[in-house]
Amino acid sequence: MSSKQSDLVQWIEIPKLGDDRGSLVALEGNKIVPFDIERVYYIFGTKPGVARGFHAHKALKQVAICITGKCKMLLDNGIEKAEVWLDSPAKGILINHLVWHEMHEFSTDCVLLVLASEHYDESDYIREYSDFITRVNT
Ligand code: T46
């Protein structure tokens, strides 16, 4: 794996706390999650065959965790692409700014939790792939 590829795919290992009653996960900003958490959202009930994302963010950083079920995420920094399966509540993926991302192959039970470094701002989205490529090359 090249050094660029390892920058693109950055897993966040999430410690499972718990005991004989079951498991518990605690996510704290600037500890497990490498930024202040300003927003939390989750995606669920995605219909079979539907893909989501298809954008990059100018400044936003995010960590995505599939807390139930699974989906495939494509990450693309304009030079390299990687596909990863999100399929564990103990494994998050960092979606850095200026990384084009798409989510595919959602299982019907998928709940994708996303922790975000900023409040929602539509002007932070780059929704045209050609604009994304222009931006990463300038
Ligand atoms: C991302 C991937 C992983 C809001 O009003 N507030 C919010 O915080 C969010 C995230 C979305 N919305 C609205 C905007 C749209 O009208 O919810 C609607 C669906 O959003 P979108 O089409 O952007 O959903 P995805 O699944 O394509 O992308 C989402 C996030 O928007 C995006 O930031 O990185 O999940």
Side-chain angles (χ1 to χ4, degrees):
M1 185 185 284
S2 70
S3 58
K4 197 67 198 173
Q5 176 90 9
S6 60
D7 286 351
L8 180 60
V9 179
Q10 294 186 50
W11 290 109
I12 309 284
E13 296 299 331
I14 300 168
K16 269 202 278 182
L17 312 172
D19 48 37
D20 53 10
R21 296 169 299 171
S23 299
L24 182 155
V25 161
L27 299 166
E28 295 186 69
N30 287 312
K31 288 189 178 172
I32 303 294
V33 176
F35 47 75
D36 282 331
I37 301 166
E38 289 291 338
R39 179 165 52 107
V40 176
Y41 61 92
Y42 46 94
I43 294 167
F44 62 100
T46 302
K47 297 201 166 68
V50 169
R52 310 186 62 122
F54 296 89
H55 57 254
H57 287 282
K58 296 173 189 167
L60 188 73
K61 294 179 182 172
Q62 303 185 97
V63 170
I65 307 157
C66 209
I67 54 173
T68 298
K70 63 178 182 175
C71 69
K72 192 188 273 184
M73 185 171 284
L74 169 82
L75 300 167
D76 174 354
N77 60 14
I79 300 166
E80 288 188 286
K81 298 181 188 195
E83 277 188 339
V84 296
W85 279 103
L86 303 181
D87 57 5
S88 166
K91 200 172 73 172
I93 191 82
L94 179 68
I95 310 170
N96 227 327
H97 66 289
L98 293 183
V99 171
W100 185 266
H101 51 285
E102 301 170 10
M103 293 88 79
H104 298 266
E105 296 184 51
F106 285 84
S107 62
T108 49
D109 60 345
C110 180
V111 179
L112 184 64
L113 176 73
V114 184
L115 311 170
S117 65
E118 309 290 341
H119 291 169
Y120 177 71
D121 176 7
E122 181 58 36
S123 72
D124 187 67
Y125 285 70
I126 307 169
R127 292 196 183 270
E128 288 293 332
Y129 190 77
S130 57
D131 294 344
F132 164 68
I133 291 297
T134 302
R135 191 154 185 132
V136 293
N137 287 321
T138 51

